[in-house]
Amino acid sequence: MSLQLHGYWRSSASYRVRIALHLKQLAFDYIPVHLVKGGGQQKAEPYTRINPSMLVPTFIDDDEDVVLNQSMAILEYLDDKYPDSPQLLPSHSLDKARVRALAQDVACDIQPITNLRILETLKSDFNASAEDVKAWNQKWITTGFDALEKRLQTRSGQYSYGYDVTLADVCLIPQVYNAIRFEVDMSVYPLISKIWENCNKLDAFKKAAPENQVDAIRS
Amino acid sequence: MSLQLHGYWRSSASYRVRIALHLKQLAFDYIPVHLVKGGGQQKAEPYTRINPSMLVPTFIDDDEDVVLNQSMAILEYLDDKYPDSPQLLPSHSLDKARVRALAQDVACDIQPITNLRILETLKSDFNASAEDVKAWNQKWITTGFDALEKRLQTRSGQYSYGYDVTLADVCLIPQVYNAIRFEVDMSVYPLISKIWENCNKLDAFKKAAPENQVDAIRS
């Protein structure tokens, strides 16, 4: 078995897949794709041959001849293929739908709007300053977290959906990491903050953290 | 059985769910949420009580006490709950992953960046003109479609993934509708254009089209 993850230390979507691989205790090669250096390695060959979207991550499972983009599709694939390790999705269709919706509250409504290429375009096409970019990120993260904090009141426990780690947590934690980086006031989100703390006690989340990757840049 | 879809005629995410409901021949009440009138009905009560994210759609299944946001979670829920009607996802985990990735190429990488609240913020916070907004939309739609057109070379047939309608088509068609609206040159995307034509021959896609909704505004 040879699993490869092409990613970037600070990419939220790469971070999600790292968490899942560590939760499921799967060995994998982590292959850094530097999103900034030389204009971005994701925009040039050889990377564009495996992922024409010029985004990370890309997941490769050699045994199955699988080359997959889209972190959410990769996470569900891992959950389908390795059901005996901790499941990221509950078994009942209604629980499953609720967990997916919580995950997508981050993966569809927050992360895509605040990722690197958007920030670069705000700077290049709208003359946005560093402060403008920070305000843009804070606006979309707080809009998303305001709603999420309300939703979590219904069914969260130790984690986003009850007492087991799910796909919702796998998406939430990298987003909180970004929120902290962009100085979002997390004190107004007690439930999200509690889940952040609980997840970060687990080995899989620690191993997956941006600072613990080989391509992390220490300032 | 009582199914309700709270949506907006031109919302891509609402359009996706309408397609799925019609493909599966499920009767539902369509409840318009006007995204523009009075600053947007999605931002006020009573709507925010069922969906604090202030986005459409929201899907309600009274029998199951289900109130679901996130169109992708709703689509998977419908596919889980009504497996005897045409399946939106293939059964094998690898095919499933590939179809999900194609769907998310639209649902995560294009649509969230080009939806109404983003365009409104570009205008209010960055003084964007109507032309700027159009250029922004065209940029992200063409970036996404350039990659998608390449991916479709491998496994598309009559539809995005072979010869059956899948989740990938359910996401793609509303995005093409938006591309046409924002005057993207579709002639450079022969595969996407072919799938657009093939899907629009089907009753479910016709019934779901924005212009055929009760809340459509005819210019």
Tab-separated table of all heavy atoms in Angstrom, chain A residues 6-36:
chain	number	residue	atom	x	y	z
A	6	HIS	N	-0.272	15.096	-1.491
A	6	HIS	CA	0.388	16.312	-1.946
A	6	HIS	C	-0.341	17.483	-1.302
A	6	HIS	O	-1.544	17.682	-1.555
A	6	HIS	CB	0.305	16.425	-3.478
A	6	HIS	CG	1.034	15.325	-4.188
A	6	HIS	ND1	2.202	15.521	-4.877
A	6	HIS	CD2	0.763	13.998	-4.298
A	6	HIS	CE1	2.623	14.379	-5.391
A	6	HIS	NE2	1.752	13.433	-5.056
A	7	GLY	N	0.364	18.238	-0.480
A	7	GLY	CA	-0.326	19.304	0.252
A	7	GLY	C	0.597	20.435	0.644
A	7	GLY	O	1.755	20.493	0.229
A	8	TYR	N	0.066	21.293	1.458
A	8	TYR	CA	0.826	22.451	1.936
A	8	TYR	C	0.518	22.605	3.417
A	8	TYR	O	-0.627	22.419	3.833
A	8	TYR	CB	0.391	23.695	1.145
A	8	TYR	CG	1.151	24.967	1.485
A	8	TYR	CD1	2.516	25.071	1.252
A	8	TYR	CD2	0.486	26.076	2.019
A	8	TYR	CE1	3.208	26.244	1.547
A	8	TYR	CE2	1.171	27.258	2.311
A	8	TYR	CZ	2.536	27.330	2.080
A	8	TYR	OH	3.214	28.482	2.363
A	9	TRP	N	1.513	22.946	4.194
A	9	TRP	CA	1.351	22.935	5.653
A	9	TRP	C	0.166	23.783	6.125
A	9	TRP	O	-0.606	23.383	6.978
A	9	TRP	CB	2.643	23.371	6.352
A	9	TRP	CG	3.108	24.792	6.116
A	9	TRP	CD1	3.470	25.336	4.925
A	9	TRP	CD2	3.241	25.828	7.085
A	9	TRP	NE1	3.831	26.648	5.088
A	9	TRP	CE2	3.714	26.981	6.404
A	9	TRP	CE3	3.032	25.907	8.473
A	9	TRP	CZ2	3.955	28.202	7.061
A	9	TRP	CZ3	3.281	27.105	9.121
A	9	TRP	CH2	3.731	28.241	8.416
A	10	ARG	N	0.001	24.982	5.514
A	10	ARG	CA	-1.031	25.890	5.990
A	10	ARG	C	-2.353	25.758	5.240
A	10	ARG	O	-3.307	26.476	5.546
A	10	ARG	CB	-0.547	27.325	5.835
A	10	ARG	CG	-0.102	27.915	7.139
A	10	ARG	CD	0.282	29.356	6.934
A	10	ARG	NE	0.677	29.961	8.194
A	10	ARG	CZ	1.365	31.100	8.279
A	10	ARG	NH1	1.725	31.732	7.181
A	10	ARG	NH2	1.674	31.601	9.461
A	11	SER	N	-2.421	24.919	4.237
A	11	SER	CA	-3.687	24.734	3.510
A	11	SER	C	-4.683	23.986	4.392
A	11	SER	O	-4.406	22.892	4.882
A	11	SER	CB	-3.427	23.940	2.222
A	11	SER	OG	-4.456	23.024	1.960
A	12	SER	N	-5.830	24.613	4.590
A	12	SER	CA	-6.908	24.016	5.383
A	12	SER	C	-7.326	22.656	4.853
A	12	SER	O	-7.565	21.713	5.608
A	12	SER	CB	-8.150	24.905	5.261
A	12	SER	OG	-8.463	25.526	6.441
A	13	ALA	N	-7.457	22.589	3.537
A	13	ALA	CA	-7.950	21.359	2.913
A	13	ALA	C	-6.927	20.232	3.063
A	13	ALA	O	-7.289	19.068	3.270
A	13	ALA	CB	-8.295	21.621	1.454
A	14	SER	N	-5.626	20.573	3.000
A	14	SER	CA	-4.586	19.557	3.223
A	14	SER	C	-4.606	19.096	4.679
A	14	SER	O	-4.466	17.897	4.969
A	14	SER	CB	-3.197	20.137	2.920
A	14	SER	OG	-3.132	20.686	1.629
A	15	TYR	N	-4.756	20.034	5.563
A	15	TYR	CA	-4.810	19.786	7.012
A	15	TYR	C	-5.956	18.809	7.335
A	15	TYR	O	-5.781	17.840	8.094
A	15	TYR	CB	-5.000	21.160	7.668
A	15	TYR	CG	-4.894	21.356	9.167
A	15	TYR	CD1	-4.998	22.656	9.680
A	15	TYR	CD2	-4.707	20.321	10.069
A	15	TYR	CE1	-4.921	22.933	11.045
A	15	TYR	CE2	-4.635	20.589	11.446
A	15	TYR	CZ	-4.749	21.888	11.920
A	15	TYR	OH	-4.687	22.168	13.267
A	16	ARG	N	-7.111	19.027	6.704
A	16	ARG	CA	-8.240	18.088	6.914
A	16	ARG	C	-7.845	16.659	6.589
A	16	ARG	O	-8.124	15.727	7.360
A	16	ARG	CB	-9.394	18.435	5.956
A	16	ARG	CG	-10.129	19.681	6.243
A	16	ARG	CD	-11.153	19.948	5.124
A	16	ARG	NE	-11.513	21.347	5.092
A	16	ARG	CZ	-11.948	22.003	4.015
A	16	ARG	NH1	-12.086	21.363	2.849
A	16	ARG	NH2	-12.243	23.270	4.080
A	17	VAL	N	-7.222	16.466	5.426
A	17	VAL	CA	-6.880	15.103	5.002
A	17	VAL	C	-5.802	14.515	5.904
A	17	VAL	O	-5.850	13.328	6.247
A	17	VAL	CB	-6.460	15.071	3.511
A	17	VAL	CG1	-6.112	13.653	3.085
A	17	VAL	CG2	-7.588	15.617	2.626
A	18	ARG	N	-4.863	15.342	6.340
A	18	ARG	CA	-3.845	14.834	7.280
A	18	ARG	C	-4.509	14.328	8.562
A	18	ARG	O	-4.156	13.271	9.093
A	18	ARG	CB	-2.825	15.934	7.625
A	18	ARG	CG	-1.912	16.330	6.467
A	18	ARG	CD	-0.709	17.164	6.948
A	18	ARG	NE	-1.065	18.368	7.688
A	18	ARG	CZ	-1.040	19.619	7.197
A	18	ARG	NH1	-0.710	19.844	5.929
A	18	ARG	NH2	-1.355	20.641	7.958
A	19	ILE	N	-5.464	15.093	9.074
A	19	ILE	CA	-6.170	14.658	10.299
A	19	ILE	C	-6.797	13.280	10.084
A	19	ILE	O	-6.642	12.367	10.899
A	19	ILE	CB	-7.263	15.670	10.718
A	19	ILE	CG1	-6.660	17.021	11.107
A	19	ILE	CG2	-8.099	15.107	11.878
A	19	ILE	CD1	-7.690	18.149	11.271
A	20	ALA	N	-7.510	13.138	8.981
A	20	ALA	CA	-8.208	11.870	8.726
A	20	ALA	C	-7.231	10.703	8.587
A	20	ALA	O	-7.468	9.618	9.127
A	20	ALA	CB	-9.062	11.995	7.462
A	21	LEU	N	-6.138	10.926	7.878
A	21	LEU	CA	-5.151	9.851	7.710
A	21	LEU	C	-4.563	9.439	9.060
A	21	LEU	O	-4.389	8.246	9.341
A	21	LEU	CB	-4.042	10.301	6.751
A	21	LEU	CG	-4.450	10.382	5.269
A	21	LEU	CD1	-3.417	11.189	4.464
A	21	LEU	CD2	-4.596	8.981	4.659
A	22	HIS	N	-4.297	10.430	9.906
A	22	HIS	CA	-3.756	10.095	11.235
A	22	HIS	C	-4.827	9.454	12.129
A	22	HIS	O	-4.529	8.523	12.878
A	22	HIS	CB	-3.177	11.344	11.905
A	22	HIS	CG	-1.862	11.782	11.310
A	22	HIS	ND1	-0.753	10.960	11.282
A	22	HIS	CD2	-1.476	12.947	10.715
A	22	HIS	CE1	0.262	11.597	10.700
A	22	HIS	NE2	-0.157	12.807	10.346
A	23	LEU	N	-6.066	9.927	12.048
A	23	LEU	CA	-7.140	9.300	12.836
A	23	LEU	C	-7.256	7.822	12.476
A	23	LEU	O	-7.450	6.964	13.334
A	23	LEU	CB	-8.488	9.983	12.573
A	23	LEU	CG	-8.776	11.287	13.319
A	23	LEU	CD1	-10.043	11.940	12.751
A	23	LEU	CD2	-8.956	11.062	14.825
A	24	LYS	N	-7.136	7.550	11.180
A	24	LYS	CA	-7.280	6.170	10.716
A	24	LYS	C	-5.956	5.395	10.779
A	24	LYS	O	-5.898	4.244	10.348
A	24	LYS	CB	-7.869	6.169	9.307
A	24	LYS	CG	-9.339	6.626	9.302
A	24	LYS	CD	-9.974	6.565	7.942
A	24	LYS	CE	-11.468	6.866	8.012
A	24	LYS	NZ	-12.284	5.747	8.559
A	25	GLN	N	-4.925	6.063	11.303
A	25	GLN	CA	-3.611	5.447	11.471
A	25	GLN	C	-3.080	4.824	10.187
A	25	GLN	O	-2.566	3.702	10.188
A	25	GLN	CB	-3.651	4.424	12.610
A	25	GLN	CG	-4.116	5.081	13.901
A	25	GLN	CD	-3.805	4.243	15.150
A	25	GLN	OE1	-2.843	3.508	15.196
A	25	GLN	NE2	-4.640	4.392	16.161
A	26	LEU	N	-3.241	5.569	9.100
A	26	LEU	CA	-2.729	5.108	7.804
A	26	LEU	C	-1.376	5.770	7.543
A	26	LEU	O	-1.249	6.987	7.680
A	26	LEU	CB	-3.710	5.492	6.691
A	26	LEU	CG	-5.085	4.823	6.768
A	26	LEU	CD1	-6.069	5.527	5.844
A	26	LEU	CD2	-4.971	3.347	6.408
A	27	ALA	N	-0.414	4.972	7.154
A	27	ALA	CA	0.901	5.529	6.805
A	27	ALA	C	0.787	6.196	5.434
A	27	ALA	O	0.114	5.679	4.534
A	27	ALA	CB	1.931	4.419	6.759
A	28	PHE	N	1.411	7.359	5.291
A	28	PHE	CA	1.363	8.038	3.984
A	28	PHE	C	2.597	8.900	3.793
A	28	PHE	O	3.231	9.313	4.768
A	28	PHE	CB	0.089	8.889	3.857
A	28	PHE	CG	0.013	10.044	4.833
A	28	PHE	CD1	0.305	11.345	4.417
A	28	PHE	CD2	-0.352	9.836	6.157
A	28	PHE	CE1	0.233	12.420	5.314
A	28	PHE	CE2	-0.423	10.897	7.063
A	28	PHE	CZ	-0.140	12.188	6.647
A	29	ASP	N	2.931	9.111	2.533
A	29	ASP	CA	4.005	10.053	2.211
A	29	ASP	C	3.389	11.424	2.011
A	29	ASP	O	2.439	11.573	1.240
A	29	ASP	CB	4.719	9.638	0.917
A	29	ASP	CG	5.504	8.360	1.111
A	29	ASP	OD1	6.094	8.195	2.190
A	29	ASP	OD2	5.491	7.518	0.189
A	30	TYR	N	3.963	12.389	2.692
A	30	TYR	CA	3.480	13.760	2.562
A	30	TYR	C	4.423	14.506	1.630
A	30	TYR	O	5.627	14.614	1.901
A	30	TYR	CB	3.433	14.410	3.943
A	30	TYR	CG	3.053	15.865	3.936
A	30	TYR	CD1	1.759	16.254	3.599
A	30	TYR	CD2	3.980	16.851	4.270
A	30	TYR	CE1	1.408	17.599	3.585
A	30	TYR	CE2	3.635	18.192	4.261
A	30	TYR	CZ	2.341	18.560	3.912
A	30	TYR	OH	2.003	19.885	3.897
A	31	ILE	N	3.883	14.985	0.513
A	31	ILE	CA	4.717	15.636	-0.498
A	31	ILE	C	4.344	17.114	-0.587
A	31	ILE	O	3.257	17.466	-1.073
A	31	ILE	CB	4.540	14.935	-1.861
A	31	ILE	CG1	5.029	13.490	-1.705
A	31	ILE	CG2	5.306	15.663	-2.968
A	31	ILE	CD1	4.408	12.526	-2.647
A	32	PRO	N	5.209	17.983	-0.064
A	32	PRO	CA	4.861	19.409	-0.012
A	32	PRO	C	4.779	20.042	-1.406
A	32	PRO	O	5.591	19.746	-2.285
A	32	PRO	CB	6.025	20.018	0.771
A	32	PRO	CG	6.696	18.881	1.466
A	32	PRO	CD	6.496	17.699	0.586
A	33	VAL	N	3.769	20.861	-1.575
A	33	VAL	CA	3.594	21.671	-2.787
A	33	VAL	C	3.621	23.110	-2.290
A	33	VAL	O	2.701	23.531	-1.571
A	33	VAL	CB	2.233	21.376	-3.447
A	33	VAL	CG1	2.062	22.191	-4.730
A	33	VAL	CG2	2.069	19.885	-3.724
A	34	HIS	N	4.657	23.839	-2.634
A	34	HIS	CA	4.786	25.172	-2.051
A	34	HIS	C	3.885	26.164	-2.793
A	34	HIS	O	4.073	26.433	-3.972
A	34	HIS	CB	6.239	25.635	-2.077
A	34	HIS	CG	6.517	26.714	-1.072
A	34	HIS	ND1	5.866	27.930	-1.103
A	34	HIS	CD2	7.319	26.750	0.022
A	34	HIS	CE1	6.281	28.667	-0.088
A	34	HIS	NE2	7.154	27.972	0.623
A	35	LEU	N	2.886	26.689	-2.079
A	35	LEU	CA	1.859	27.524	-2.736
A	35	LEU	C	2.337	28.937	-3.038
A	35	LEU	O	1.657	29.678	-3.747
A	35	LEU	CB	0.599	27.611	-1.867
A	35	LEU	CG	-0.146	26.317	-1.560
A	35	LEU	CD1	-1.498	26.623	-0.946
A	35	LEU	CD2	-0.333	25.457	-2.803
A	36	VAL	N	3.473	29.314	-2.484
A	36	VAL	CA	3.905	30.702	-2.625
A	36	VAL	C	5.207	30.816	-3.443
A	36	VAL	O	5.300	31.596	-4.375
A	36	VAL	CB	4.082	31.360	-1.231
A	36	VAL	CG1	4.452	32.832	-1.374
A	36	VAL	CG2	2.803	31.215	-0.403
